[in-house]
Amino acid sequence: GAVVSQHPSRVICKSGTSVKIECRSLDFQATTMFWYRQFPKQSLMLMATSNEGSKATYEQGVEKDKFLINHASLTLSTLTVTSAHPEDSSFYICSASTGSTEAFFGQGTRLTVV
Amino acid sequence: AQRVTQPEKLLSVFKGAPVELKCNYSYSGSPELFWYVQYSRQRLQLLLRHISRESIKGFTADLNKGETSFHLKKPFAQEEDSAMYYCALRAYGGATNKLIFGTGTLLAVQP
C-alpha cells in the first residue's frame, strides 16, 4: 500500500520555540493532506485539511496562526507549531489522500513541550 | 452537523465469540464510511470501506441509511483482532473533503 512518512517521530522542545513536523507521501501524489491531534486515550481530532497549492482549511477552534500548515507540493505538507507551550504537547498525525480514495496515515509525531 | 459516534470505549469478548462494534453517523449528504484499525504501536490503517462491500480479516460492515449506522461485525473473534477501531466519515464540502473520526472502541479479545 501507499506509504506516508512523518518526521520527526518524537520531538522535545522548549516553551516558546517553534517546531516543524513534516508529512511526506512517498509513492503517490497527495492532493489532500489532513492533520490530526490525538490526546491520550482519545480519538483523532481533525485540525485542518490542506490541498496542494492552496491555503489550509482549519477546523473550528484551531488557531491558524498557532498551527501553520503548508502544502507546497503534492508529496509534502508541513505543520509548524509556533511559540509552543506545554499544552501543545500531544500526538500529531498526518494523513494523505488523492481525493476520493482512502487516506493513508503517517506514524505520528509525539511533541513534548517543556 | 457531521458527526461519528462510537458509544463503546471498550469491548471485551472471549476468543471465538461474535463481535459487533457500533458506529452511528450524522451527515446530511450521501455518506462514505470507513473502519480504520490501529494495532498496538502501529499506525492507523484502513480496514474496510462501505462502498467496497468486502470482508477483510473476517470483518464486515453494512451501511444502514435508515438507522444511520455502520456497525462492524465479525462472527468469531481472534486474539489478534485486539486493537483500537475507529469509524470514520468522509464529508465533502466545497473544494475540500475531510475525514471525521469517531472516538474509537478498544476491542480486547481474551483467550
Side-chain angles (χ1 to χ4, degrees):
Chain A
V3 178
V4 174
S5 176
Q6 207 172 321
H7 178 80
S9 57
R10 290 177 185 272
V11 58
I12 301 172
C13 71
K14 290 185 177 179
S15 186
T17 61
S18 295
V19 174
K20 180 184 283 188
I21 302 170
E22 291 187 349
C23 179
R24 293 181 184 274
S25 56
L26 297 186
D27 51 2
F28 69 101
Q29 294 185 325
T31 52
T32 307
M33 286 191 173
F34 306 92
W35 285 96
Y36 295 87
R37 184 172 178 176
Q38 187 175 33
F39 293 98
K41 299 189 179 181
Q42 294 190 34
S43 185
L44 287 77
M45 182 194 79
L46 180 64
M47 298 174 66
T49 303
S50 74
N51 291 308
E52 184 267 336
S54 61
K55 289 184 179 180
T57 301
Y58 289 80
E59 293 300 299
Q60 193 171 8
V62 178
E63 300 176 60
K64 55 184 70 176
D65 294 331
K66 172 78 172 175
F67 300 99
L68 301 178
I69 291 172
N70 184 286
H71 191 166
S73 76
L74 285 171
T75 59
L76 173 65
S77 176
T78 60
L79 167 67
T80 302
V81 183
T82 63
S83 187
H85 291 284
E87 56 265 31
D88 298 326
S89 298
S90 192
F91 195 59
Y92 293 88
I93 304 172
C94 75
S95 73
S97 167
T98 57
S100 59
T101 62
E102 70 178 272
F104 300 94
F105 285 80
Q107 71 272 38
T109 297
R110 172 76 58 197
L111 170 63
T112 303
V113 185
V114 298
Chain B
Q2 306 144 353
R3 189 182 302 121
V4 177
T5 303
Q6 291 179 253
E8 303 142 327
K9 283 193 172 182
L10 170 67
L11 182 63
S12 182
V13 301
F14 286 104
K15 176 182 172 182
V19 169
E20 183 179 53
L21 301 172
K22 291 184 168 46
C23 171
N24 287 89
Y25 67 91
S26 174
Y27 183 53
S28 57
S30 184
E32 190 175 346
L33 288 150
F34 306 82
W35 275 99
Y36 281 82
V37 59
Q38 187 171 29
Y39 299 102
S40 179
R41 300 185 183 278
Q42 294 187 29
R43 70 185 67 194
L44 212 62
Q45 57 186 285
L46 179 68
L47 180 63
L48 53 80
R49 69 188 89 182
H50 90 270
I51 57 174
S52 300
R53 301 184 66 82
E54 56 197 344
S55 172
I56 303 293
K57 298 184 179 181
F59 285 97
T60 58
D62 291 318
L63 176 62
N64 186 322
K65 292 186 178 181
E67 296 183 357
T68 60
S69 68
F70 187 56
H71 302 328
L72 183 68
K73 299 177 184 179
K74 184 169 182 175
F76 309 103
Q78 303 298 315
E79 289 181 68
E80 55 265 30
D81 295 329
S82 296
M84 194 73 179
Y85 291 81
Y86 293 96
C87 183
L89 165 74
R90 185 177 289 276
Y92 293 89
T96 65
N97 66 85
K98 52 188 179 183
L99 201 56
I100 299 168
F101 285 83
T103 49
T105 298
L106 178 62
L107 174 64
V109 181
Q110 311 294 334

